[in-house]
Amino acid sequence: QKEVEQNSGPLSVPEGAIASLNCTYSDRGSQSFFWYRQYSGKSPELIMSIYSNGDKEDGRFTAQLNKASQYVSLLIRDSQPSDSATYLCAPEARKITGGGNKLTFGTGTQLKVEL
Amino acid sequence: IAGITQAPTSQILAAGRRMTLRCTQDMRHNAMYWYRQDLGLGLRLIHYSNTAGTTGKGEVPDGYSVSRANTDDFPLTLASAVPSQTSVYFCASSESGEGTEAFFGQGTRLTVV
C-alpha cells in the first residue's frame, strides 16, 4: 500500500464550481498534512497546511482532516481557470528506522477548471 | 532573495557521463531532499539529509549519490547516466524535517540520450 494515495484525475470542474480533491494515507501516526499546488513546468508550492481534525479555511480554500478515516481533502470554492494545476498531498515528514525523517508526497491530482 | 536554487535548469547528457546537479539554500534549513518527478509517478524521493554530515536513501536511490558537507549545499551526482534517469529533478528543504513544510527549487530538467 502506498503511503499517500490520490486520484490522478484529471478532475474537470466548470468555472465557479467547487472542486474537491481527496487524499488517503496509511500511517496512522501522521499528525499534520500539507497541500501543494504545482503548475505545469513549475515547482510545487505550499497552499494549505492542517494540523488537527476538522476544517481549516483560508480564502477560497478549505482543508479537511479526518484522522479516524485517514483521509484529508482540499475544497476549492468558486474555482477559477487559474486554479488549474496539479495538487499534491503530503503528510509531515516521518521518522524512519535508522534515524532521519522522510517527506513523501502523493502522486497528485490534476485539476482543470473550464470556462 | 531567500530561497533554494538549483543548477542547471536543464541539461542534455550523453549516456555514461557523470553529472552533478547542484542545490543551494540560504534559509539555514536542516533537512534537504532530492526528488525526481515523472509523468504518472509523482514525486519520488531519491535521497535526503536531515542535517549536515548525514544522508539517507529514499525510495529510488540506485544510480545516484549525494553529499552534505555543509548546511547550505546538497549536490546530487549521477555517476554514469542512463536514459531511465531522464526526468525533472527537484531539490527541497525544510526547517527540521518533521511537521514543517517543504520549499522547492525551480527544478532541473535532465535528458539522458
Side-chain angles (χ1 to χ4, degrees), chain A residues 66-107:
Chain A
N66 184 326
K67 293 183 181 179
S69 299
Q70 296 176 247
Y71 178 91
V72 59
S73 64
L74 179 70
L75 302 178
I76 306 175
R77 291 181 299 281
D78 188 25
S79 295
Q80 301 296 310
S82 59
D83 295 325
S84 297
T86 296
Y87 290 81
L88 303 166
C89 166
E92 84 277 20
R94 299 296 297 161
K95 289 193 181 297
I96 58 174
T97 302
N101 299 306
K102 187 176 69 170
L103 183 60
T104 304
F105 290 82
T107 55

Side-chain angles (χ1 to χ4, degrees), chain A residues 32 34 36 38 41-44 46 51 88 92-96 99-107, chain B residues 33 35 37 40-43 45 48 50 58-59 90 96-102 104-107 109:
Chain A
S32 53
F34 304 93
Y36 292 80
Q38 185 177 23
K42 301 296 185 182
S43 57
L46 181 74
Y51 302 99
L88 303 166
E92 84 277 20
R94 299 296 297 161
K95 289 193 181 297
I96 58 174
N101 299 306
K102 187 176 69 170
L103 183 60
T104 304
F105 290 82
T107 55
Chain B
Y33 309 87
Y35 297 89
Q37 188 173 40
L41 298 177
L43 286 164
L45 183 64
Y48 65 92
N50 290 118
E59 59 181 303
F90 288 103
S96 62
E98 194 167 341
T100 58
E101 69 173 287
F104 285 83
Q106 77 274 31
R109 183 174 295 274

Side-chain angles (χ1 to χ4, degrees), chain A residues 15-77:
Chain A
E15 184 178 8
I18 296 175
S20 177
L21 305 164
N22 306 311
C23 174
T24 58
Y25 59 94
S26 60
D27 185 352
R28 284 195 170 276
S30 295
Q31 297 297 312
S32 53
F33 293 86
F34 304 93
W35 281 99
Y36 292 80
R37 177 177 62 201
Q38 185 177 23
Y39 291 115
S40 180
K42 301 296 185 182
S43 57
E45 57 176 340
L46 181 74
I47 56 170
M48 284 287 286
S49 57
I50 185 165
Y51 302 99
S52 57
N53 270 332
D55 296 357
K56 178 184 177 183
E57 185 174 321
D58 183 2
R60 295 187 295 114
F61 298 93
T62 298
Q64 299 175 317
L65 175 59
N66 184 326
K67 293 183 181 179
S69 299
Q70 296 176 247
Y71 178 91
V72 59
S73 64
L74 179 70
L75 302 178
I76 306 175
R77 291 181 299 281

